[in-house]
Amino acid sequence: MPAVMADPLTLPRLPHLPDAGTDWRRVAKIVTAKRQLEGEGFEVRRPFPGIDLSLADPFLLLDHMGAVEYAPGEAKGTPWHPHRGFETVTYIIDGAFQHQDTTGGGGLISDGATQWMTAASGIQHIEQPPPELVAKGGLFHGVQLWVNLPRAQKWVQPRYQDIEARDVKLLAADDGSSLVRVIAGSLAGHDGPGVTYTPINYLHATVAPGARLALPWPRDFNAMVYVLSGRGTVGVEQTGLDEGQLAVFAGSHHHGAQDGLVVRAADSQPQASANGWEILILGGLPIREPVARYGPFVMNTRDEIVQAFEDFQAGRMGTVPVPHLSAADEPLS
């Protein structure tokens, strides 16, 4: 798994959280992701929407792509499509994806890199596997997260962040056994590279087989854990959580001096998780505004959705570039 690996013993460590003084978040719900086809026909597992979206606020959607070993010619992407009102965050763990948008942003995302596209007032983009992956096949594994924008930021200019694997902040568990990658947000005073409009934490952890990982957590954030591969338990209740399942934690009870999340990897892991249990840990400050969504648009009112369709049809969300033909592509006259 080429998502950034490092020796946890060489990294800054998370603080030890005392059992007595920590308000451990309890598990409220377990959701098994539904499988469906996206874009030009690639399968995703989608744990939400499907749950009450207020539990996931400020997140709107999570798509888990792979892990899949593509045969030659099998890899697929999406055609050009518009977005308005939120951000799409694409994190590629194995393999590669090409991204291009109508502001000129984009590039190749591969092996632990993230592209963070703030659609905001409106943009079109296309996401495709690179030609070599299509031609030769190979391993592909990634996730796309949709992050809502507050009403005040839905009309800002689109922007694009290219977060390379080397930019991600790496931390170790308090006992040095497990690796935590901070893509965005802040964990125990260590900040990830992603710049966000609304406060969130977006983490990818590799929890060593049999190890326990405890994280300090902001009081006012919600919290979710999604399993990319392997198995383990979540919460002090040790609720089982397998690949493709999402745990939603209950809100803070403000009993202890510090809120905490605790997870534990099973002693034995499947071959695909030989390094450990692979999980995403997500949370954020809920926006708590009305959500009107239809397809690629997420606004506050139905009228704004209608306006988004009108703006898109009138060409106000950028112009798709004309493909450039090389001389070899031109038809013979």
Side-chain angles (χ1 to χ4, degrees), residues 16-90:
H16 173 72
L17 300 183
D19 280 340
T22 304
D23 188 8
W24 297 107
R25 296 280 189 99
R26 301 192 74 84
V27 177
K29 191 167 195 164
I30 302 290
V31 178
T32 300
K34 294 183 170 62
R35 292 180 184 264
Q36 59 194 81
L37 294 178
E38 268 303 298
E40 294 169 342
F42 60 92
E43 186 180 82
V44 299
R45 283 180 280 185
R46 184 173 291 172
F48 64 87
I51 56 171
D52 173 0
L53 260 186
S54 67
L55 295 174
D57 185 8
F59 306 115
L60 297 160
L61 173 145
L62 181 66
D63 274 354
H64 180 197
M65 307 172 281
V68 58
E69 188 74 42
Y70 282 124
E74 272 189 350
K76 294 182 172 69
T78 69
W80 281 97
H81 59 283
H83 288 301
R84 172 180 279 176
F86 63 100
E87 304 180 286
T88 70
V89 183
T90 308

Side-chain angles (χ1 to χ4, degrees), residues 266-287:
D267 294 341
S268 68
Q269 295 290 339
Q271 186 57 43
S273 293
N275 293 318
W277 189 35
E278 302 290 348
I279 57 174
L280 295 180
I281 305 165
L282 309 169
L285 185 66
I287 295 171

